[in-house]
């Protein structure tokens, strides 16, 4: 045992990179996993090593959530980097990639640097920030650093961050090599349908205004441009069976796609139960879409999972459609929602860990993350797969204070979350002095 060992996790059910489980121990030294074996308890100096008894718990690589909206700077009344990262820690999310629709918009190196400085001061987990495309900031898009990539809102946005003209989109796809992540909805179709359905206040109309065809049109255009320039493309929150079918037939090796838990387990029936809390962009779809998305995920047509955590206050959500903002929080429920699906037979635990960690690290080329193996960063989550507990509003850490899954009985709740070898959450308690690190993205 190395003298630098500072954490020993005892007798967890450890998910190995092979997808198999080993009941055993993990030692952590200097923020990284040192050893994984069935028994590492000999020669432990209990005065210097923290020992976690993990008997009965399952150890997974920490979740990397590759699409979140954390509202700082500028919209901190909804969420801020501290409250959001507390929610992450509680949800087993050890790293996140955040989107540029803050105030000011993250469209320059200076605004990116500002977010990075804020995160270094406030974030309990690891962080990375997208640079947002406008029709004018190509030089920034080429040089901004560090960033997982360029975010383009092809639709569902207003102001500078909306880039919906094909010529402007093509200029971005044609220049540079870095990853382009698209919110694919066709703004012209949405505008036209907003007029057609004007006056309707039932939030269920949202899924018809921003319909499957609006999503398909934009995804087709993004694919066309990506193929023309062989440009690395990531399709954010794929929501329709139509898009999944398109990708099944024609997905170049340099294209990836993600789906949110809510697009897998919620559908248009949710409007009846939770009204505008179910309103998001791209909207919830039909039960048939749920089914096709699930199959696409299982078959590898969809590569991984993101929450699109997009908090809005209950006051804003009570305004009445169409004056309500779109978006729902997700970071503290995503892992139990997906693990519950696994326990109910939809998929395996290993698949969930792949979709929520390993595959994300691979797609964004984040080194040393996404696996439980010596040399990897000690970003880990211990979950309890034996008990079911409800999602309770009063336990939520997100500043918006609500969840679309309230009352759902879930299993796989994080018991302990570890970031860079430090326990950041343990059985209901957050260790708010812990700070994450800026993520690196290999070229
Ligand atoms: O529903 C959404 N809300 N979708 C997005 O892409 C943006 C987000 C937000 O920032 O509120």
């Amino acid at each position: 045992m190395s003298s630098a060992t500072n954490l020993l996790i005892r007798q967890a059910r450890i998910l190995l990179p092979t997808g198999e489980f080993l009941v055993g121990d993990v030692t952590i030294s200097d923020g990284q996993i040192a050893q994984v074996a069935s028994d590492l308890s000999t020669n432990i100096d209990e005065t210097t090593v923290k020992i976690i008894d993990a008997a009965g718990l399952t150890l997974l690589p920490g979740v990397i959530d590759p699409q979140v909206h954390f509202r700082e700077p500028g919209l901190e009344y909804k969420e801020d980097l501290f409250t959001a990262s507390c929610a992450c820690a509680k949800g087993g999310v050890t790293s996140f990639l955040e989107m540029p629709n803050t105030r000011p918009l993250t469209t320059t190196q200076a605004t990116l640097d500002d977010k990075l400085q804020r995160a270094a001061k406030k974030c309990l987990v690891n962080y990375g920030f997208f640079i947002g495309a406008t029709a004018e900031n190509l030089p920034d898009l080429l040089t901004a650093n560090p960033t997982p990539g360029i975010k383009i809102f092809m639709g569902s946005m207003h102001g500078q961050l909306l880039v919906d003209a094909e010529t402007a989109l093509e200029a971005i796809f044609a220049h540079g090599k870095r990853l382009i992540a698209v919110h694919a909805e066709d703004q012209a179709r949405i505008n036209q349908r907003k007029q057609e359905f004007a006056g309707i206040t039932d939030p269920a109309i949202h899924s018809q205004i921003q319909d499957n065809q609006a999503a398909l049109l934009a995804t087709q255009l993004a694919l066309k441009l990506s193929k023309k320039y062989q440009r690395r493309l990531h399709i954010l929150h794929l929501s329709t069976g139509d898009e999944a079918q398109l990708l099944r037939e024609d997905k170049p090796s340099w294209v990836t796609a993600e789906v949110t838990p809510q697009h897998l387990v919620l559908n248009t029936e949710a409007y009846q139960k939770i009204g505008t809390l179910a309103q998001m962009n791209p909207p919830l779809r039909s039960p048939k879409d749920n089914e096709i998305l699930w199959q696409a995920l299982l078959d590898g047509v969809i590569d991984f999972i993101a929450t699109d955590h997009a908090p809005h206050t209950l006051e804003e959500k009570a305004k009445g459609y169409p004056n309500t903002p779109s978006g729902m929080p997700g970071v503290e429920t995503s892992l139990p929602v997906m693990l519950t699906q696994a326990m109910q037979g939809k998929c395996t635990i290993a698949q969930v860990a792949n979709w929520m960690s390993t595959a994300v690290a691979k797609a964004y080329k984040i080194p040393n993350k996404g696996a439980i193996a010596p040399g990897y960063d000690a970003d880990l989550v211990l979950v309890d797969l034996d008990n079911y507990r409800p999602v309770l509003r009063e336990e939520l850490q997100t500043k918006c204070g609500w969840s679309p899954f309230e009352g759902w009985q879930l299993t796989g709740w994080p018991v302990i979350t570890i970031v860079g070898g430090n326990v950041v959450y343990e059985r209901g308690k957050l260790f708010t002095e812990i700070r994450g690190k800026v993520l690196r993205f290999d070229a």
Side-chain angles (χ1 to χ4, degrees):
M1 169 90 30
S2 138
S3 58
T5 294
N6 29 39
L7 195 58
L8 167 66
I9 301 170
R10 289 277 292 145
Q11 296 306 292
R13 187 168 162 255
I14 305 163
L15 178 67
L16 301 174
T18 56
E20 290 157 329
F21 287 94
L22 167 78
V23 175
D25 296 357
V26 174
T27 57
I28 294 167
S29 305
D30 301 325
Q32 292 196 328
I33 296 166
Q35 293 162 282
V36 181
S38 49
D39 185 1
L40 296 167
S41 65
T42 44
N43 300 327
I44 276 284
D45 176 358
E46 292 187 22
T47 57
T48 57
V49 178
K50 178 178 164 72
I51 300 175
I52 294 173
D53 174 8
L57 301 177
T58 299
L59 187 67
L60 304 175
V63 172
I64 307 172
D65 190 334
Q67 192 194 173
V68 298
H69 302 266
F70 282 171
R71 311 303 189 203
E72 181 173 349
L75 299 164
E76 289 92 340
Y77 71 94
K78 296 177 197 265
E79 189 82 280
D80 62 57
L81 288 168
F82 177 73
T83 56
S85 64
C86 286
C88 284
K90 179 160 164 281
V93 176
T94 51
S95 299
F96 65 80
L97 305 181
E98 206 258 357
M99 288 298 166
N101 55 328
T102 38
R103 306 280 180 274
L105 307 173
T106 317
T107 53
T108 61
Q109 184 66 48
T111 47
L112 178 61
D113 287 342
D114 174 56
K115 264 193 183 172
L116 289 164
Q117 280 160 20
R118 288 165 182 270
K121 289 194 192 113
K122 299 175 86 165
C123 273
L124 281 66
V125 303
N126 307 311
Y127 45 86
F129 297 100
F130 279 88
I131 182 94
T134 73
E136 280 102 40
N137 72 340
L138 196 52
D140 304 87
L141 300 183
L142 292 171
T143 58
N145 189 50
T147 182
I150 297 166
K151 164 71 181 278
I152 306 181
F153 282 92
M154 298 172 72
S156 273
M157 188 41 74
H158 45 80
Q160 276 193 301
L161 272 191
L162 174 66
V163 185
D164 56 347
E166 186 166 341
T167 46
L169 288 166
E170 181 150 3
I172 300 168
F173 275 81
H175 294 96
K177 287 199 164 66
R178 67 169 30 146
L179 179 147
I180 294 175
V182 292
H183 179 131
E185 287 190 275
D186 184 82
Q187 193 61 37
R189 183 172 173 91
I190 294 172
N191 291 344
Q192 178 213 325
R193 291 173 74 78
K194 266 190 185 153
Q195 285 181 2
E196 277 171 35
F197 294 96
I200 300 177
T201 56
D202 177 353
I205 201 69
H206 188 65
S207 294
Q208 286 188 52
I209 294 174
Q210 301 191 197
D211 66 351
N212 287 35
Q213 184 64 14
L216 181 63
L217 284 171
T219 293
Q220 280 169 333
L221 174 57
L223 264 181
K224 181 178 99 175
L225 293 172
S226 165
K227 287 204 298 201
K228 183 165 177 186
Y229 296 99
Q230 301 213 347
R231 183 68 185 258
R232 173 80 179 93
L233 170 68
H234 176 63
I235 303 165
L236 300 158
H237 44 37
L238 204 81
S239 63
T240 69
D242 311 68
E243 293 163 284
Q245 194 51 37
L246 173 71
L247 288 183
R248 188 181 284 281
E249 285 158 16
D250 182 15
K251 187 182 175 219
S253 59
W254 57 88
V255 175
T256 51
E258 72 187 27
V259 65
T260 70
Q262 56 270 33
H263 284 111
L264 293 171
V265 304
L266 295 177
N267 51 55
T268 47
E269 289 161 17
Y271 292 113
Q272 278 159 33
K273 294 184 200 125
I274 58 171
T276 58
L277 299 185
Q279 181 192 330
M280 70 168 296
N281 298 330
L284 297 178
R285 309 296 187 188
S286 70
K288 184 77 194 161
D289 289 291
N290 293 149
E291 235 178 79
I292 302 174
L293 291 170
W294 258 115
Q295 199 54 52
L297 183 63
L298 289 164
D299 292 345
V301 173
I302 297 174
D303 300 86
F304 52 84
I305 287 174
T307 64
D308 194 21
H309 179 95
H312 297 286
T313 65
L314 281 167
E315 212 180 4
E316 291 169 318
K317 282 290 198 181
K319 280 182 179 163
Y321 193 82
N323 301 315
T324 35
S326 293
M328 54 180 76
V331 290
E332 63 201 291
T333 48
S334 57
L335 185 59
V337 164
M338 291 307 299
L339 289 174
T340 300
Q341 294 290 310
M343 293 308 276
Q344 292 173 354
K346 274 281 196 184
C347 57
T348 66
I349 304 292
Q351 282 173 315
V352 171
N354 179 47
W355 299 329
M356 299 188 76
S357 186
T358 317
V360 180
K362 182 170 164 238
Y364 282 101
K365 299 190 175 160
I366 305 171
N368 283 0
K369 296 206 189 285
I372 305 177
Y376 277 77
D377 293 339
D379 297 338
L380 299 163
V381 58
L382 274 164
V383 299
D384 173 8
L385 289 165
D386 289 332
N387 295 292
Y388 278 75
R389 280 202 296 113
V391 178
L392 296 175
R393 184 172 286 197
E394 56 271 26
E395 289 181 1
L396 294 171
Q397 295 292 326
T398 173
K399 199 185 274 187
C400 74
W402 60 274
S403 162
F405 301 110
E406 275 167 56
W408 286 42
Q409 291 285 343
L410 302 179
T411 188
W413 286 98
V415 176
I416 294 180
T417 306
I418 296 168
V419 173
N422 295 306
V423 172
V424 70
Y425 170 81
E426 184 165 6
R427 297 173 209 276
K429 185 173 169 16
L430 286 160
F431 294 87
T432 55
E433 71 284 4
I434 302 298
R435 290 293 169 268
K437 289 193 177 135
V438 61
L439 293 170
R440 287 189 294 128
F441 309 96
D442 286 345

